[in-house]
Amino acid sequence: MNQTAAAEVVVGVDTHKHIHVAAAVSPLGMRLGTITIPTNAKGYRDLAAWACSFGNIRAFSIEGTRSYGAALARFLRVQEHTVIEVNRSDRQLRHQRGKSDPIDAEAAARAVLGGQATGLSKSGTSTVEMIRHLKVARDTAVKARSQSMLAIKALIVGIPSALRERLELLRGKMMLIRHLAALRPGPIVSTVASAKAGLRALAQRWLALDDEIKVHQAHLEALTRARAPDLVEVHGIGSGTAAEMLLLVGDNHDRIRSEAAFAKLCGVCPIPASSGKTQRHRLNRGGNRQANAALYRVVVTRMRGHQPTVDYVQRRTAEGKSKPEIIRCLKRYVAREIFAHLRREPIAPNITAA
């Protein structure tokens, strides 16, 4: 093995829930070997030792650094290895070469060698990771609360008319919810009693989820303001948008090297679509769609009450630009402004889980 050791090797890893499969590739593209490890601390140590046996390690290229490969990526970063995030291999390549774990691991390594994958993985050890955990809980609670309200409205449509007519006299969402939560159905011996029981359960569920959302929102507000105090105060950018941008960049925001790269990550950079004598650009439909939607909300808010934005819209409209084109330009400007704030924000100390 030492006779064929390369000066620098790239190790690609195909991650799964219970096992990871790794492949080492030399700078010349020769596969040096493969290994399968369990997803535990001993397996991670065995992988690092196996990779070091081939020589200096240029980088570990890992699929799924935010899911099954998150623990491995954190372990390797602690060992001061470079960890590159790799997307799933191209479908056409899979069709040509077939599909197996060693092939996918080798493809991940070749993506780094070929320059297709260059982005560092997120560290996931500080404030932004805490924000992500709470935001997942909040977003799912918001979705469940909306489903509860839709179920209440659908159930009211078909309940006995006497009960429905009494409920229609109530004005306001909270008045209706609190009235339904206080219903006393009694023994379930009629459709009126069963309707009251169902409505009361849905209303109590809505109130419980509403309280949960308020708790999550308070924690998110505190964490976001502590991590990006200046960004939260920008016109049209609240804690929700700031949290979305922090999640996009990660705890190690230095992995985004330029505002153009940040704009591409948000899906707001124009894509060349030229051919022959036709020179044009088209809208970017890639990037992080949640971040793109957050930028859209900021732009719409500013178009209503931010005087410099209102003046810009009037000027560009007079030049013949359509509203979608103006919004695309404004989203690009907002992305530039947000990136400048993110680069100025202080780095919070790493918080390692016990």
Side-chain angles (χ1 to χ4, degrees), residues 199-215:
L199 291 171
R200 184 181 66 171
L202 291 171
Q204 291 176 348
R205 183 187 306 169
W206 191 98
L207 290 172
L209 289 169
D210 189 62
D211 292 337
E212 178 186 342
I213 291 168
K214 290 177 181 177
V215 173

Side-chain angles (χ1 to χ4, degrees), residues 76-238:
L76 295 174
R77 286 179 61 88
V78 171
Q79 302 296 321
E80 298 184 351
H81 291 293
T82 301
V83 180
I84 305 296
E85 184 176 3
V86 181
N87 296 325
R88 188 174 61 178
S89 59
D90 183 47
R91 290 181 179 271
Q92 183 178 3
L93 182 63
R94 287 188 173 188
H95 178 73
Q96 294 172 350
R97 300 186 57 188
K99 171 72 173 70
S100 70
D101 294 341
I103 291 177
D104 289 345
E106 183 180 347
R110 294 186 185 280
V112 174
L113 288 175
Q116 291 88 9
T118 58
L120 297 175
S121 67
K122 298 177 182 178
S123 60
T125 56
S126 190
T127 308
V128 177
E129 184 69 5
M130 297 161 62
I131 292 174
R132 186 181 73 87
H133 295 160
L134 294 176
K135 195 171 185 303
V136 169
R138 178 194 174 277
D139 291 347
T140 53
V142 169
K143 184 176 181 180
R145 185 182 63 176
S146 300
Q147 291 175 340
S148 297
M149 179 56 70
L150 293 175
I152 288 173
K153 293 181 178 179
L155 193 57
I156 289 177
V157 172
I159 62 177
S161 58
L163 178 59
R164 186 183 70 249
E165 291 172 1
R166 289 200 302 270
L167 295 178
E168 288 176 350
L169 298 176
L170 301 174
R171 292 293 178 263
K173 178 176 66 177
M174 291 307 301
M175 181 180 293
L176 174 64
I177 291 294
R178 296 191 184 282
H179 178 82
L180 295 178
L183 288 175
R184 296 182 179 181
I188 309 300
V189 295
S190 65
T191 56
V192 174
S194 61
K196 287 182 177 180
L199 291 171
R200 184 181 66 171
L202 291 171
Q204 291 176 348
R205 183 187 306 169
W206 191 98
L207 290 172
L209 289 169
D210 189 62
D211 292 337
E212 178 186 342
I213 291 168
K214 290 177 181 177
V215 173
H216 292 322
Q217 187 63 38
H219 290 312
L220 284 171
E221 182 82 18
L223 289 172
T224 304
R225 286 189 176 275
R227 182 62 179 82
D230 294 337
L231 182 60
V232 175
E233 301 299 330
V234 176
H235 191 283
I237 301 178

Side-chain angles (χ1 to χ4, degrees), residues 9-15 20 44 47-48 51 57-87 108-109 111-112 117-125 252 254-257:
V9 298
V10 176
V11 180
V13 184
D14 183 34
T15 59
H20 295 336
Y44 302 154
L47 172 61
I57 301 175
R58 174 179 168 185
F60 283 88
S61 54
I62 302 177
E63 289 186 9
T65 58
R66 305 305 300 157
S67 56
Y68 291 142
L72 175 61
R74 284 194 294 267
F75 174 85
L76 295 174
R77 286 179 61 88
V78 171
Q79 302 296 321
E80 298 184 351
H81 291 293
T82 301
V83 180
I84 305 296
E85 184 176 3
V86 181
N87 296 325
V112 174
T118 58
L120 297 175
S121 67
K122 298 177 182 178
S123 60
T125 56
N252 48 331
D254 54 328
R255 71 190 191 94
I256 310 298
R257 298 183 175 88

Side-chain angles (χ1 to χ4, degrees), residues 279-318:
Q279 302 294 320
R280 73 181 189 91
H281 291 78
R282 66 169 177 83
L283 290 176
N284 188 347
R285 297 178 178 85
N288 186 292
R289 303 318 297 172
Q290 288 78 17
N292 190 285
L295 292 177
Y296 178 83
R297 291 192 294 269
V298 174
V299 168
V300 171
T301 301
R302 290 187 174 187
M303 290 173 67
R304 293 172 180 171
H306 187 236
Q307 193 56 44
T309 303
V310 174
D311 296 339
Y312 176 85
V313 172
Q314 293 176 351
R315 178 169 60 86
R316 299 294 277 179
T317 302

